[in-house]
Amino acid sequence: MSLVGKLAFVTGGGQGIGRATCRILSREGASVVVGDKVPSTVEETLKTINKEQKGEHLGVELDVGKAQSINNALKKVVEKYSKPPTVIVNCAGITRDNFILKLSEEDFDEVLNINLKGTFLVMKTFTNAMVEHGLTNGSIVNISSIVGKYGNIGQSNYSASKAGVELLTKTASKEFGKMGIRVNTIFPGMIKTRMIETVPDKVKAQFKSMIPLGRFGEPEEIAEVIAFLASDKSSFITGASINVTGGF
């Protein structure tokens, strides 16, 4: 599953699934651009992938909720590599959990701004750049969540944002197909990330009992699927929604 010669851009690359994705993509030979809002986490990821797999990697500070920040990141990428990436992975996401009757308008808006609008802005900006540079054989992978299919108590904003990511992806796959750009969604289940650490142990135990494989997933298990979708091995897959949930 070689990604040699490919340039990949990963949002939320500073931790969790994003960091694991940077590691796996670089392992497969891609040059990786690590984008994250927290500069220190970008440096940590860069240090990790450079230690594991030497390559022409780059870190950029990125706020996916702001178009100007995305444009600035794209400019830095093109300055370094003389071309935009053809692999885009949207891992950036946040939670602001609360029951609907207690959820503030600000927390609702912030989650949709990052998780849904951010995915839209990154796709739009980088796809336009690919088209302008005459690049085809592109692959965009958007990270949703299994709660985007079934909902979850206390996560109305997060569930709605992740449900939106799926339909945004399906629409983009129809619009971008003629440009040679594939767009797919991954639905992670309960994965061992910093986001899960905030969940009470009692709730985690309940979730684990509902997973046929009897455990939570590792970030790398999502990243391996992302690498497959980024590669030519998945050349006829677009508009797909792939559950990686342990059977949840």
Side-chain angles (χ1 to χ4, degrees):
M1 189 166 60
S2 175
L3 296 174
V4 173
K6 290 187 182 291
L7 176 60
F9 183 86
V10 182
T11 77
Q15 60 182 334
I17 292 171
R19 176 174 290 177
T21 299
C22 293
R23 291 180 58 226
I24 299 298
L25 295 183
S26 66
R27 183 199 72 192
E28 295 300 323
S31 295
V32 178
V33 180
V34 184
D36 202 287
K37 194 173 183 178
V38 184
S40 61
T41 65
V42 172
E43 290 304 315
E44 289 171 18
T45 298
L46 278 176
K47 189 181 296 183
T48 299
I49 62 177
N50 279 319
K51 184 178 180 181
E52 294 176 345
Q53 188 74 43
K54 294 291 183 183
E56 288 294 317
H57 308 305
L58 174 69
V60 293
E61 188 174 346
L62 176 71
D63 182 346
V64 299
K66 297 178 180 177
Q68 189 57 55
S69 178
I70 297 168
N71 287 327
N72 290 342
L74 172 61
K75 184 179 178 182
K76 290 177 182 176
V77 173
V78 174
E79 283 176 355
K80 178 174 176 64
Y81 300 99
S82 301
K83 63 180 181 180
T86 54
V87 174
I88 311 296
V89 186
N90 281 299
C91 289
I94 62 169
T95 57
R96 297 288 184 272
D97 296 349
N98 214 330
F99 299 116
I100 292 173
L101 299 185
K102 296 181 179 180
L103 184 63
S104 70
E105 183 178 351
E106 291 75 19
D107 283 349
F108 185 89
D109 286 347
E110 188 175 5
V111 169
L112 266 74
N113 186 55
I114 298 301
N115 297 1
L116 182 55
K117 180 184 170 186
T119 299
F120 157 73
L121 288 174
V122 171
M123 280 204 306
K124 177 183 177 181
T125 302
F126 281 85
T127 299
N128 270 322
M130 277 189 253
V131 172
E132 288 169 6
H133 282 75
L135 299 175
T136 57
N137 197 25
S139 176
I140 300 173
V141 184
N142 296 325
I143 304 301
S144 180
S145 167
I146 199 63
V147 303
K149 286 192 174 182
Y150 302 113
N152 193 32
I153 291 172
Q155 290 194 310
S156 59
N157 49 359
Y158 186 75
S159 298
S161 71
K162 292 301 190 178
V165 166
E166 180 182 28
L167 272 297
L168 180 65
T169 300
K170 287 186 180 297
T171 301
S173 72
K174 297 178 189 299
E175 294 184 6
F176 298 170
K178 62 187 177 185
M179 306 167 193
I181 299 169
R182 299 179 295 108
V183 197
N184 293 289
T185 318
I186 293 178
F187 285 79
M190 297 294 282
I191 308 298
K192 293 178 185 176
T193 64
R194 199 171 297 178
M195 205 176 278
I196 289 297
E197 292 173 5
T198 63
V199 177
D201 289 340
K202 186 177 179 181
V203 176
K204 283 193 282 193
Q206 288 175 337
F207 272 114
K208 189 175 289 186
S209 69
M210 298 165 67
I211 301 171
L213 291 186
R215 64 176 177 84
F216 293 157
E218 300 290 342
E220 289 77 14
E221 292 177 301
I222 305 298
E224 293 285 4
V225 181
I226 292 170
F228 167 69
L229 291 173
S231 76
D232 294 338
K233 298 284 188 183
S234 60
S235 56
F236 202 54
I237 300 176
T238 193
S241 301
I242 302 175
N243 288 11
V244 188
T245 65
F248 176 77

